[in-house]
Amino acid sequence: MTQQRKVRVEIENVSLAYGATQVLRDVSINIEPGEFFALLGPSGSGKSTLLRMLAGFNQPQSGSIRVDGADITEVSPWQRDIGMVFQNYALWPHMTVAENVAFGLEERKLPRAEITRRTAAALELVGLATYGTRRPNQLSGGQQQRVAVARTIAIEPKVLLLDEPLSNLDAKLRVHMRTELLALQRKLGITTIFVTHDQEEALSIADRVAVLDAGVIQQVGTPTELYDRPVNRFIANFIGSINLLPGSVDTAKQFTSPLLGTRAVPVNATLIGDADLVLRPHAIQLAAPDAARPESLIWIDAAVKEREFLGEFMRYRVETAGHALTVDVPHFGSAGHAPGAAVKLGIDPAKATVLPAA
Ligand code: ADP
């Protein structure tokens, strides 16, 4: 099983409603050839509906889907050349692993020798070459997942769809399997679209991510773009955690806030007027009032309310002028700052972005 020609997937202005429930609203996404692409969003946001639409299991009421330049909106699922791995794997319990993998090839009435060759190659690729005679119930969850993937790639689809591929696995295995899945995708070079509600999973393996909320695409970007330059409050909250400092941006692109005193934060935004400064918990420094402090940061007075030790870092809840903030400080064995302590918060203008006030 070698690298295939990589294809582009274009979703254009797709909408779908079930009765009065609008599930997808004017969704457009352009997925690059060979990309590992994630559809991310909270439960009920329309991710699975969109994935099933790519597979052909439901039809958009408007809009179109193109694969490799060809419009497939009206093409039936079995003629789409798209492979889908289901969340529950859907393996046949009465068949062996090899029979499960061969099933789709038999249905396509390929010559016997070709079926044997492709089945062996797919099992080899997922590291289960010696498991062909076992039954699914004699495999671990991770191995069953690999069989489901092998069964799908054996048909050599142009596009691979994965519905919450790792959600049935325990936490540790999930982290291991995502590296494995990415390695396999890279080896095959197949354009892959996967659905997940787990932001860490999406950020850690996808080339790009589309974030959906209530059937609307909120932002499409690389994991770092979503994290560093969220386009709205929903994304800022959904991807990681944030602090918001209320203030305003003037025509000279300076953010000011009573909380920051006289110092202004230069911002690279077209926005003018009421705004919130967005600060990640680890982008704020904490220092004792008498410690030496770099002048490149804006320092403000605060008090520690609570702290929580999370292993690699200490999470502080601090308060400044009645405003609560979360600050994460890497833990290197020092005692840190106790609740009640007065501290200085260091805000690095280079690490801040702004969003329009809600
Ligand atoms: P997600 O995968 O993001 O959790 P889904 O795509 O499964 O979301 O569902 C999106 C919305 O569409 C939900 O509100 C769900 O109840 C609704 N929905 C999905 N399928 C159907 C259906 N066949 N009939 C009616 N409503 C549906």
Side-chain angles (χ1 to χ4, degrees):
M1 214 159 292
T2 48
Q3 285 239 343
Q4 292 201 34
R5 199 167 56 79
K6 300 174 180 176
V7 303
R8 179 184 302 282
V9 175
E10 293 155 290
I11 303 168
E12 241 179 54
N13 307 111
V14 159
S15 293
L16 176 66
Y18 290 115
T21 315
Q22 191 75 39
V23 179
L24 295 171
R25 295 166 204 256
D26 203 23
V27 169
S28 296
I29 311 174
N30 190 348
I31 297 158
E32 298 292 328
E35 231 180 348
F36 199 24
F37 194 93
L39 298 174
L40 174 68
S43 179
S45 56
K47 310 176 295 290
S48 303
T49 303
L50 185 56
L51 198 75
R52 292 173 60 81
M53 194 178 272
L54 293 172
F57 300 129
N58 45 39
Q59 281 287 311
Q61 279 142 350
S62 57
S64 63
I65 295 167
R66 282 197 302 280
V67 172
D68 202 13
D71 190 328
I72 58 153
T73 321
E74 307 285 326
V75 176
S76 64
W78 52 92
Q79 288 171 324
R80 282 191 179 196
D81 229 350
I82 290 181
M84 178 146 165
V85 177
F86 295 91
Q87 190 174 359
N88 59 7
Y89 315 144
L91 299 176
W92 298 107
H94 61 286
M95 290 185 189
T96 65
V97 164
E99 285 165 354
N100 265 285
V101 174
F103 187 76
L105 305 171
E106 312 250 5
E107 280 205 313
R108 283 169 172 74
K109 304 208 180 341
L110 295 182
R112 173 60 40 201
E114 177 75 5
I115 295 178
T116 309
R117 184 190 67 75
R118 283 211 213 173
T119 301
L123 284 174
E124 174 80 43
L125 207 53
V126 298
L128 292 177
T130 60
Y131 288 72
T133 56
R134 293 214 196 173
R135 299 209 185 265
N137 66 5
Q138 295 171 305
L139 300 178
S140 69
Q143 290 168 334
Q144 290 181 29
Q145 206 266 350
R146 288 195 234 158
V147 176
V149 171
R151 183 179 54 182
T152 305
I153 59 178
I155 60 170
E156 298 180 1
K158 280 187 186 159
V159 178
L160 180 61
L161 307 179
L162 305 165
D163 188 5
E164 297 268 6
L166 307 176
S167 64
N168 285 343
L169 308 175
D170 65 53
K172 194 142 196 174
L173 190 57
R174 201 152 59 216
V175 171
H176 172 72
M177 287 300 287
R178 68 190 184 207
T179 328
E180 224 173 68
L181 208 52
L182 179 60
L184 177 66
Q185 192 270 343
R186 290 294 190 251
K187 206 184 285 180
L188 293 172
I190 186 170
T191 307
T192 302
I193 303 161
F194 75 103
V195 156
T196 181
H197 65 273
D198 179 341
Q199 49 134 317
E200 185 186 301
E201 190 171 296
L203 299 188
S204 64
I205 54 176
D207 293 312
R208 283 192 309 147
V209 181
V211 186
L212 277 154
D213 184 39
V216 178
I217 298 278
Q218 301 291 322
Q219 188 168 0
V220 180
T222 63
T224 50
E225 279 166 0
L226 295 175
Y227 190 85
D228 294 332
R229 291 193 294 282
V231 296
N232 61 33
R233 211 164 280 265
F234 174 81
I235 298 287
N237 269 313
F238 193 68
I239 309 288
S241 42
I242 51 163
N243 293 296
L244 297 171
L245 282 188
S248 62
V249 179
D250 63 19
T251 49
K253 296 193 176 186
Q254 301 288 317
F255 174 89
T256 51
S257 164
L259 294 170
L260 298 181
T262 54
R263 292 280 298 267
V265 179
V267 293
N268 191 8
T270 47
L271 159 80
I272 294 171
D274 287 348
D276 288 322
L277 198 68
V278 180
L279 292 163
R280 297 288 180 188
H282 66 261
I284 303 175
Q285 290 197 16
L286 255 184
D290 55 355
R293 299 189 298 273
E295 282 191 10
S296 56
L297 304 190
I298 299 172
W299 293 95
I300 57 180
D301 292 318
V304 173
K305 291 286 156 195
E306 297 164 24
R307 64 177 179 180
E308 192 182 358
F309 182 50
L310 296 172
E312 270 122 49
F313 58 91
M314 186 75 81
R315 172 159 292 171
Y316 289 93
R317 314 268 176 213
V318 301
E319 202 173 280
T320 178
H323 203 84
L325 298 175
T326 301
V327 181
D328 290 343
V329 179
H331 177 70
F332 298 116
S334 75
H337 309 274
V343 287
K344 296 276 186 184
L345 299 185
I347 290 165
D348 183 350
K351 290 182 180 157
T353 53
V354 283
L355 286 172

